[in-house]
Amino acid sequence: MSQESQHGKWTLSDSDDDDNLIPPTPPKDTNKANVKPEQKANAVNTVLNLKPKSEPNRENNVKFQPSLKTENISVPHMGSEARQAAHFNESDPVKYENSPSHEVKRKREPDEGGWNLSSSDEEAPSSAPKVKPKQSRSSPPRKKTQDTRPPSPHGVSYYKEEPSDFFEADLSAMNNSYRFYLNKVSGIDKKYNTGALHIKEILSPMFGTLKESVQFNYCFDIPWMVQQYPPEFRTKPVVIVHGEKRESKARLIQQAQPYSHIRFCQAKLDIAFGTHHTKMMLLWYEEGFRVIILTSNLIRADWYQKTQGLWMSPLYPRLPEGSPETAGESPTHFKRDLLEYLRAYRAPELAEWIDRIKEHDLSETRIYLIGSTPGRFQGPDMEKWGHLKLRKLLSENACPVQNMEKWPVIGQFSSIGSMGLDKTKWLAAEFQRTLTTLGKAGNSLGSAETPLLLVYPSVDDVRTSLEGYPAGGSLPYSIQTAQKQLWLHSYFHHWRAETSGRSSAMPHIKIYTRASPDFSQLAWFLVTSANLSKAAWGALEKNNTQMMVRSYELGVLYLPSAFLTKGVCNHVSQRKFQNKVMTTVSLYRYRRYTENLFEELNELL
């Protein structure tokens, strides 16, 4: 059964691996029973059976109550049906008021033509004309107050005016060596946004004089996206690479009708349940070329009160005329891998961008590119994509360490797919083996003994977040899938980001890493769009002779060997790498999902 949401289309089945899903706002239904507040609140289903005393049973999918107003919204219908619903919700603050009493709800429901008719409802034909004008007169001011910000579950008064320098990046505080940044978050202390970036800053003139750009993403709000470009760049050509089909594609194109400078490129999705989940910007300047690989959708909610991350490339200069195609390659083969990834789209709309990249010098890149593209791959092609590409890079370039079986692997993500009835079906048999690879000697040793810590917010984490329960809409994990893999819950740990001040900003970022037992060193670090699913990372088939990948994904891998003296693999290099790079992240503190409080592990970084 397919559904659409603010974050795109998703399907509930054993192969449900879609991501970034917000349960759709249901249409107004006159025959629909009233939704209980406690059912509305359960936006995350991951800990259903872990805290039975405090958490009620959940429905299939949480459905937020639709707006209680009766008048039509005076905005164009844009995007998928669920995106229209999301836009409707953002325009209507009534939905997000602090839990009105049951009496208030019963009083308002008849206004939508529902059941529970009273004597006044029976007189609706004569009284309705009087009620609607009153609502119309009172609604415009409320829409204006909410128009420039995502809705807050805490009410309009929750928001604070940002200082004038909120959208002004401090270049002196930016990490130019490793180029990993968190997104700015509204509602946290200003000091925690130092060195962080907002999309308006990424697209601003301080990083280059923009000529053209390409936006690869999963979910788009085109009018909002256009407004993030500065006025002087707002009409520069933009190509949007998406995975929408049929009606949702038509609605996406309809969004762009007012903008003649926008063109589209549809990603081919030939395998069921696949998505175009890659999030990347290609920016062509008068001064050169830049790549941004990120975790945020192009909707304003993703850039407001969520924890997100991105890698920003250096400004790549143009190569001299007549340079060979192999010129400008980096030690990590980033240029080759990026071109191969773009060619996998088989899209004429990207041909000129492929030629432009060939003309630029990408030799300063120090990260490895790890992508996924849909298909079934055999032979050497199996190691080009997904978790087998990660396994190959960790085998060839990671630094072995003593007692490596004691170095835990940490995975943090915002969506969970179906992985089978037990861990041997995919998680331990394939994925954990990849994550525990550390040099050629680590391909088969220590996989079973290595701790695997999975970070995913609990219901209480979401409830107490900046966004409240609506934040759970970006943390999809269907109850059908969760009930089939209860074994997975023993791996779960709470989200904590105290060092970066983002414990209350729910994570949409995806990070995988391997740390020393005391979390003082890192062997490697990956930020990516890929969630915990076979669709994103791929799964072996035909007795391990074929790799099947459903979705487009993209991420960057940091390895100490790429930043330090070639061939140096020791504890000192790991510590330098940790001190210089990973203190930028400083995201986690782990605590297990259990009824009894376990001792917290030490902070990572």
Side-chain angles (χ1 to χ4, degrees):
M1 177 177 67
S2 294
Q3 296 181 351
E4 288 190 320
S5 70
Q6 180 182 353
H7 288 267
K9 182 181 292 183
W10 58 305
T11 304
L12 296 178
S13 75
D14 290 342
S15 301
D16 175 32
D17 293 324
D18 291 357
D19 174 32
N20 293 339
L21 311 171
I22 291 182
T25 302
K28 297 178 181 180
D29 188 347
T30 59
N31 298 319
K32 185 175 180 180
N34 189 25
V35 179
K36 295 180 181 180
E38 59 269 22
Q39 291 173 328
K40 289 170 55 182
N42 295 327
V44 179
N45 297 316
T46 54
V47 292
L48 175 66
N49 296 296
L50 298 174
K51 298 183 179 180
K53 294 181 181 179
S54 59
E55 296 174 17
N57 292 333
R58 288 160 175 75
E59 297 178 351
N60 177 6
N61 290 296
V62 176
K63 298 182 180 179
F64 295 111
Q65 184 174 343
S67 169
L68 302 173
K69 293 187 178 181
T70 59
E71 68 270 20
N72 294 327
I73 298 297
S74 58
V75 295
H77 294 285
M78 300 178 295
S80 66
E81 293 176 0
R83 292 192 185 113
Q84 295 177 31
H87 189 87
F88 184 95
N89 294 336
E90 292 183 2
S91 303
D92 192 346
V94 174
K95 171 188 169 188
Y96 293 97
E97 289 177 355
N98 289 327
S99 300
S101 67
H102 295 298
E103 291 77 13
V104 174
K105 290 183 179 179
R106 285 196 293 269
K107 181 177 179 181
R108 289 176 177 173
E109 283 164 355
D111 292 341
E112 295 191 299
W115 31 266
N116 288 341
L117 295 177
S118 65
S119 59
S120 61
D121 296 315
E122 295 170 355
E123 299 173 359
S126 59
S127 61
K130 297 179 182 180
V131 174
K132 289 184 178 180
K134 291 180 181 180
Q135 292 179 342
S136 299
R137 286 194 297 270
S138 61
S139 58
R142 301 180 75 175
K143 291 179 185 178
K144 285 183 179 180
T145 59
Q146 293 286 73
D147 188 51
T148 58
R149 299 181 186 273
S152 168
H154 310 293
V156 179
S157 61
Y158 170 78
Y159 292 111
K160 300 177 182 178
E161 286 298 320
E162 301 296 351
S164 58
D165 60 350
F166 182 76
F167 297 114
E168 296 178 5
D170 181 3
L171 294 179
S172 63
M174 296 180 68
N175 184 352
N176 290 326
S177 297
Y178 301 97
R179 315 196 68 84
F180 173 81
Y181 307 100
L182 297 175
N183 288 21
K184 287 187 174 178
V185 174
S186 179
I188 64 175
D189 193 291
K190 180 180 178 180
K191 67 180 181 181
Y192 294 122
N193 281 322
T194 302
L197 288 173
H198 187 270
I199 185 173
K200 286 187 175 181
E201 296 162 336
I202 295 170
L203 299 173
S204 71
M206 69 179 174
F207 290 116
T209 308
L210 191 66
K211 297 171 66 176
E212 294 184 32
S213 60
V214 186
Q215 296 287 354
F216 297 72
N217 222 297
Y218 177 68
C219 189
F220 294 86
D221 180 342
I222 292 179
W224 177 86
M225 180 198 77
V226 170
Q227 291 301 311
Q228 306 316 300
Y229 286 83
E232 59 266 41
F233 301 155
R234 203 160 285 168
T235 59
K236 301 294 184 181
V238 179
V239 176
I240 289 179
V241 183
H242 66 94
E244 303 290 353
K245 297 180 180 179
R246 296 180 289 276
E247 293 85 356
S248 59
K249 176 183 176 182
R251 286 189 286 268
L252 181 65
I253 294 173
Q254 185 182 18
Q255 286 191 55
Q257 284 184 349
Y259 311 105
S260 59
H261 64 290
I262 292 179
R263 295 184 295 129
F264 290 92
C265 172
Q266 182 176 357
K268 297 175 177 62
L269 292 166
D270 300 326
I271 301 179
F273 308 112
T275 61
H276 181 260
H277 198 240
T278 290
K279 297 164 178 62
M280 176 171 65
M281 301 181 188
L282 302 180
L283 306 175
W284 185 32
Y285 305 107
E286 292 182 4
E287 301 86 355
F289 168 75
R290 194 186 302 275
V291 181
I292 314 289
I293 296 175
L294 61 163
T295 65
S296 307
N297 287 286
L298 288 178
I299 57 175
R300 62 180 181 175
D302 270 30
W303 294 85
Y304 195 66
Q305 290 183 319
K306 300 184 189 298
T307 299
Q308 306 273 16
L310 64 92
W311 171 79
M312 175 184 287
S313 77
L315 180 63
Y316 298 129
R318 190 179 179 90
L319 288 166
E321 291 278 347
S323 297
E325 185 174 334
T326 56
E329 183 58 276
S330 73
T332 61
H333 302 289
F334 177 80
K335 186 174 185 178
R336 177 201 66 189
D337 290 347
L338 179 60
L339 291 171
E340 188 168 29
Y341 177 81
L342 295 177
R343 291 190 187 105
Y345 282 87
R346 294 167 287 152
E349 298 87 347
L350 298 177
E352 62 179 332
W353 283 91
I354 291 174
D355 292 336
R356 285 172 183 164
I357 294 172
K358 291 178 182 178
E359 297 170 353
H360 286 80
D361 183 359
L362 280 61
S363 61
E364 292 301 312
T365 311
R366 291 295 179 267
I367 53 85
Y368 294 87
L369 190 70
I370 296 182
S372 294
T373 59
R376 290 177 168 87
F377 307 98
Q378 297 178 338
D381 290 343
M382 293 173 62
E383 294 183 327
K384 288 184 177 180
W385 312 109
H387 76 83
L388 290 188
K389 172 66 177 293
L390 175 59
R391 185 184 298 181
K392 179 182 179 182
L393 290 176
L394 293 179
S395 174
E396 295 177 351
N397 301 285
C399 304
V401 296
Q402 292 182 347
N403 301 319
M404 64 181 177
E405 69 278 359
K406 296 181 180 179
W407 285 51
V409 170
I410 301 149
Q412 177 272 312
F413 34 82
S414 61
S415 177
I416 303 173
S418 176
M419 287 171 280
L421 296 178
D422 60 67
K423 64 181 182 180
T424 65
K425 301 301 181 184
W426 181 77
L427 184 66
E430 292 185 39
F431 196 49
Q432 188 171 0
R433 181 185 171 192
T434 289
L435 298 180
T436 54
T437 298
L438 205 59
K440 289 182 171 56
N443 285 336
S444 59
L445 299 177
S447 176
E449 297 79 13
T450 301
L452 177 60
L453 312 178
L454 301 181
V455 179
Y456 192 70
S458 69
V459 172
D460 196 57
D461 293 339
V462 174
R463 180 183 65 82
T464 58
S465 70
L466 290 170
E467 298 172 275
Y469 282 118
S474 296
L475 297 164
Y477 185 21
S478 72
I479 191 169
Q480 293 99 328
T481 303
Q483 288 176 334
K484 293 176 183 177
Q485 50 194 38
L486 297 177
W487 55 267
L488 184 63
H489 294 174
S490 64
Y491 292 91
F492 285 168
H493 295 71
H494 285 280
W495 165 259
R496 294 293 182 270
E498 296 172 1
T499 306
S500 60
R502 285 165 169 76
S503 289
S504 59
M506 288 297 95
H508 191 258
I509 192 174
K510 293 88 173 158
I511 287 176
Y512 302 83
T513 187
R514 190 164 187 184
S516 60
D518 62 355
F519 299 106
S520 64
Q521 303 175 57
L522 292 182
W524 53 269
F525 173 81
L526 170 67
V527 58
T528 176
S529 65
N531 283 297
L532 186 65
S533 73
K534 293 186 288 184
W537 286 103
L540 292 171
E541 298 178 330
K542 295 185 177 181
N543 197 25
N544 297 339
T545 63
Q546 179 172 284
M547 177 76 158
M548 189 270 285
V549 183
R550 298 180 186 272
S551 298
Y552 293 89
E553 306 282 356
L554 201 61
V556 297
L557 172 68
Y558 290 83
L559 284 169
S561 57
F563 290 88
L564 304 163
T565 304
K566 185 175 179 61
V568 174
C569 283
N570 53 47
H571 291 286
V572 175
S573 67
Q574 298 282 351
R575 184 171 292 108
K576 288 181 180 178
F577 181 61
Q578 181 266 330
N579 289 338
K580 292 183 178 179
V581 187
M582 300 313 162
T583 50
T584 307
V585 188
S586 303
L587 287 178
Y588 309 111
R589 177 172 289 175
Y590 302 104
R591 184 154 49 90
R592 290 189 180 278
Y593 285 162
T594 58
E595 291 185 71
N596 299 320
L597 182 63
F598 276 59
E599 181 181 358
E600 287 191 350
L601 300 176
N602 292 329
E603 282 187 22
L604 169 62
L605 310 175

